[in-house]
Amino acid sequence: MTTDAEGKFEFKNLFPEQEYCVYTVVGEGDRSDSDQILITQKFVTPPDGKTLHIGDLTTVDPVSLSGRLVSGQLQTFDDLNLSLKRHPAWDLIEVPVASDGTFHITGLPPEVYEIQVATKAFDLDADKIDTLLWTEKSIKRLVEKSIDDFVLPIRVIEHESRDTKQNGTQLLTGRVTLMGGKGASGIIVSANDGNSTKTSTTDDGHFSFEIPTATDWIKLYRPDPDGMTFWYLGRFEPTFGNNDVNIQLGPETRYEPDSLSVQSQSKTDEP
């Protein structure tokens, strides 16, 4: 939908009581021409026959992301892209990587992005990244202002079986903290798929449990108060012999766009 001369817009024929989002389209020819941009926001449509007024949507200055890929195994990068995903817009943003590993993209809304290496040949180098990974190929990052020195270590995928690790278990201890150093309590810390070995952090964020030495990943989850819903926070790769880790949860692990709900609006009875 394109706004009129007064900045107004209207979506028709939406399903009642469903969650939608409004956002600025990010794509070639759009983001570079816009001085202002919208942040993604969710809203829930009212019951059938009602109109939801979601109020004024304030535009913001777009941000840019620049940086480089680094690898101890490669000197040049050919035919490589990064993809930037954002929830709940789910639009596809592709960023070409130059042969020297550098990349640059402008016109982004200041939001949380899943930055992914869009190739089957490389994974992120977990040993050289000091924050949680989202997948083997992606990391989540809150880009709230322009960044011009974003470094992303990658490594060539080695098709080796992780079963060569010795059998047995090792003690893994550590602490999960929020920004500022406060302990994050009640976080589920699990080995691999989380169906067997797992624990939860104490009031001050500490955890301790035995994990199989063949563990590929340690995954972190945040349970809702009802204990039935779990929010995935990220993962890290354990290093055999290092049984004391410290994980700081960045703003991207807690960031959720505001929901514009019918309950918070007063004008919901117009046809």
Side-chain angles (χ1 to χ4, degrees), residues 46-239:
D48 198 9
K50 303 294 184 178
T51 296
L52 173 65
H53 297 267
I54 61 177
D56 295 333
L57 303 181
T58 305
T59 59
V60 297
D61 295 331
V63 298
S64 62
L65 179 66
S66 300
R68 60 191 176 94
L69 303 183
V70 295
S71 172
Q73 301 159 295
L74 291 176
Q75 300 299 321
T76 61
F77 302 82
D78 298 321
D79 299 324
L80 185 61
N81 290 330
L82 293 180
S83 65
L84 275 65
K85 303 176 182 178
R86 55 190 178 130
H87 175 75
W90 294 123
D91 50 350
L92 179 62
I93 309 171
E94 289 285 345
V95 186
V97 177
S99 60
D100 62 354
T102 58
F103 58 88
H104 177 71
I105 186 171
T106 60
L108 297 175
E111 297 183 7
V112 171
Y113 292 90
E114 181 186 351
I115 304 172
Q116 181 179 35
V117 181
T119 175
K120 296 180 179 180
F122 303 99
D123 282 342
L124 296 183
D125 194 342
D127 294 337
K128 298 180 180 178
I129 296 177
D130 57 3
T131 59
L132 289 174
L133 272 63
W134 194 249
T135 70
E136 291 89 338
K137 296 181 181 294
S138 65
I139 188 171
K140 279 205 170 184
R141 181 59 57 91
L142 172 59
V143 186
E144 56 186 345
K145 60 183 179 180
S146 294
I147 301 175
D148 57 11
D149 58 352
F150 185 73
V151 177
L152 201 59
I154 64 173
R155 63 187 176 194
V156 177
I157 295 177
E158 298 178 356
H159 299 283
E160 296 181 357
S161 173
R162 300 296 294 270
D163 294 337
T164 56
K165 287 185 177 181
Q166 67 184 75
N167 295 325
T169 63
Q170 69 167 344
L171 178 67
L172 182 67
T173 63
R175 188 174 186 233
V176 182
T177 62
L178 305 174
M179 295 186 66
K182 181 180 179 181
S185 63
I187 303 298
I188 303 298
V189 185
S190 67
N192 290 331
D193 59 10
N195 290 327
S196 55
T197 308
K198 60 184 177 182
T199 187
S200 59
T201 58
T202 61
D203 290 343
D204 58 1
H206 285 94
F207 65 89
S208 176
F209 68 131
E210 294 277 346
I211 65 171
T213 54
T215 298
D216 291 328
W217 296 99
I218 299 295
K219 299 180 181 180
L220 278 69
Y221 297 85
R222 183 192 68 193
D224 271 357
D226 59 12
M228 302 299 294
T229 305
F230 292 84
W231 300 92
Y232 176 56
L233 300 178
R235 64 176 69 185
F236 66 92
E237 185 176 336
T239 302

